Amino acid sequence: MKATHFGRNAAIAVIAAGALALTACGSDNATNTPASTQSAAGMKVTGTLTGVGSSAQGAAMDAWKSGFAAANQGATVQYSPDGSGAGRKAIIDGSAQFAGSDAYLKDEELASSKAKCGPEGAINIPVYTSPIAVAFNVPGVMDLKLDAATVAKIFRGEIANWNDPAIAALNAGDTLPDLKVTPVNRSDDSGTTTNFTDYLAAAAPEVWTDKAAGIWPATLKGENAKGTSGVVKTVTDTPGAVTYADDSAVSGKLGTASIKVGEEFVKISADAASKAVEAGKPVEGRATNDVAIKLDRKTTVSGAYPVVLVSYHVVCTTYETKAVADLVKAFESYVVSDEGQKTAADAAKSAPLSKSLQDKAKAAIETIKAKA
């Protein structure tokens, strides 16, 4: 991952600096260029926008920050990839202007957000769609076929070796080593974990008996590490290890699994992830300008890869000042634009939002406002 991980003190400093820059309407102008330019949203914006959240969005966020800064010389974005849970907490307590989250706000989080985000609270805007790889370090093996039940058994510690009969049966003709399986999970509150466990709970309920959650079940043994880069590094350094991670972070000697969908095994790809997202439906009970998506983890759509995440930018519906509201609208408009989505796809192997999702996201962004 290209994203820089801030420490706790650094994150606080970034947020404080961002708030001051917004108040000063663009005094943080490192390039010494004119502070006001025409944004993608059709408004002139200045200042520094602060965000906290998803590490899976790291590569895409780096690309978005650069693209937005190039198009808006007086505006910058600072982002601390501390995890989706930290991001949602930051938008709710008002310490960030937006959150990156690989899971949409829960009902109770939505209710809590009204204290800082106005009577309509915060909303979820999809910005990034990506498959979650089941990534492994098995010398000599780069491709495996797995079904949901076998993946669940691997991560529950019920499969101890890579040549276990359950794996061998799905990979007839392949030579698998007698090598210990070491599952590696996220140690932080993670939207990637939420999506991965949601898939397992839905697609293999007879094996994965825990509920979907952002915190890994404490009863399960295995290694853990913080953030997407943390689990990927641990697996890269550990023969026999396996993890779940945003596909943009997986490279080098790590192999990835094709997942059984219906009667076929689907290789991981942005296009396959996009097909799975298209099979999803709006989350019930949300406002019309909230674009949270309920994914169908048991889809049998041909070519769909169901171990997928839709990553959101969680933003307030109401901000304290017009300057902040306009800056948020400008940045989010760039992110969901054709240019912003292509930039992310090039940097992070993500799937661009479909036209229908783009339209819904743009409509939601336009409803962001400032207090009267």
Side-chain angles (χ1 to χ4, degrees):
M1 299 289 288
K2 297 179 181 178
T4 300
H5 286 261
F6 292 82
R8 178 177 176 86
N9 291 338
I12 293 170
V14 164
I15 291 166
L20 287 173
L22 281 167
T23 303
C25 292
S27 60
D28 183 14
N29 185 7
T31 60
N32 294 317
T33 54
S36 295
T37 59
Q38 197 72 12
S39 76
M43 63 187 76
K44 292 185 177 183
V45 292
T46 59
T48 299
L49 183 64
T50 61
V52 177
S54 165
S55 61
Q57 280 188 35
M61 186 62 71
D62 281 350
W64 287 329
K65 290 191 298 182
S66 297
F68 184 67
N72 300 274
Q73 294 294 315
T76 58
V77 178
Q78 296 176 322
Y79 184 74
S80 182
D82 294 338
S84 296
R88 295 194 303 276
K89 181 178 183 297
I91 191 72
I92 289 170
D93 67 21
S95 58
Q97 281 80 49
F98 75 97
S101 179
D102 304 331
Y104 54 78
L105 289 176
K106 300 173 185 176
D107 289 344
E108 56 269 27
E109 291 174 322
L110 179 60
S112 297
S113 73
K114 295 179 181 180
K116 296 292 184 180
C117 290
E120 297 172 64
I123 53 174
N124 304 276
I125 299 172
V127 295
Y128 176 85
T129 299
S130 181
I132 299 171
V134 177
F136 51 84
N137 180 356
V138 180
V141 180
M142 293 301 290
D143 299 292
L144 280 176
K145 298 182 180 72
L146 298 174
D147 58 19
T150 305
V151 174
K153 289 176 182 178
I154 287 172
F155 281 91
R156 294 194 78 83
E158 296 175 16
I159 290 178
N161 283 65
W162 283 105
N163 63 352
D164 185 276
I167 300 177
L170 297 170
N171 295 272
D174 294 335
T175 301
L176 300 171
D178 183 7
L179 178 66
K180 178 186 175 182
V181 174
T182 301
V184 181
N185 62 269
R186 290 278 293 268
S187 62
D188 51 324
D189 186 343
S190 159
T192 308
T193 301
T194 299
N195 281 274
F196 185 62
T197 57
D198 186 50
Y199 163 71
L200 294 176
E206 70 285 354
V207 180
W208 194 266
T209 53
D210 295 280
K211 293 182 179 180
I215 301 292
W216 192 256
T219 56
L220 300 183
K221 297 179 180 179
E223 302 295 324
N224 63 71
K226 184 177 180 180
T228 301
S229 59
V231 294
V232 170
K233 184 180 187 305
T234 300
V235 174
T236 301
D237 293 344
T238 310
V242 58
T243 193
Y244 54 94
D246 188 274
D247 190 42
S248 67
V250 178
S251 61
K253 62 184 178 183
L254 299 189
T256 57
S258 297
I259 299 298
K260 192 173 186 181
V261 177
E263 296 303 315
E264 65 176 334
F265 288 92
V266 179
K267 290 182 70 68
I268 190 168
S269 72
D271 288 343
S274 184
K275 286 184 179 181
V277 173
E278 285 299 307
K281 297 180 180 179
V283 174
E284 294 182 356
R286 298 299 175 97
T288 55
N289 59 334
D290 189 306
V291 199
I293 301 167
K294 177 66 175 176
L295 297 167
D296 180 6
R297 303 297 189 180
K298 296 188 288 185
T299 181
T300 56
V301 172
S302 180
Y305 183 89
V307 197
V308 62
L309 64 83
V310 177
S311 202
Y312 301 88
H313 280 177
V314 184
V315 299
C316 289
T317 52
T318 305
Y319 287 91
E320 287 289 334
T321 68
K322 186 175 185 298
V324 179
D326 286 350
L327 186 55
V328 172
K329 291 173 73 172
F331 178 61
E332 298 303 341
S333 293
Y334 167 73
V335 166
V336 303
S337 70
D338 289 342
E339 179 185 350
Q341 288 296 295
K342 183 180 185 304
T343 296
D346 291 344
K349 298 190 293 185
S350 59
L353 298 177
S354 67
K355 179 64 164 58
S356 61
L357 265 185
Q358 267 188 309
D359 289 344
K360 290 176 182 177
K362 290 175 182 177
I365 292 164
E366 283 304 308
T367 67
I368 296 170
K369 58 186 179 295
K371 286 185 177 180

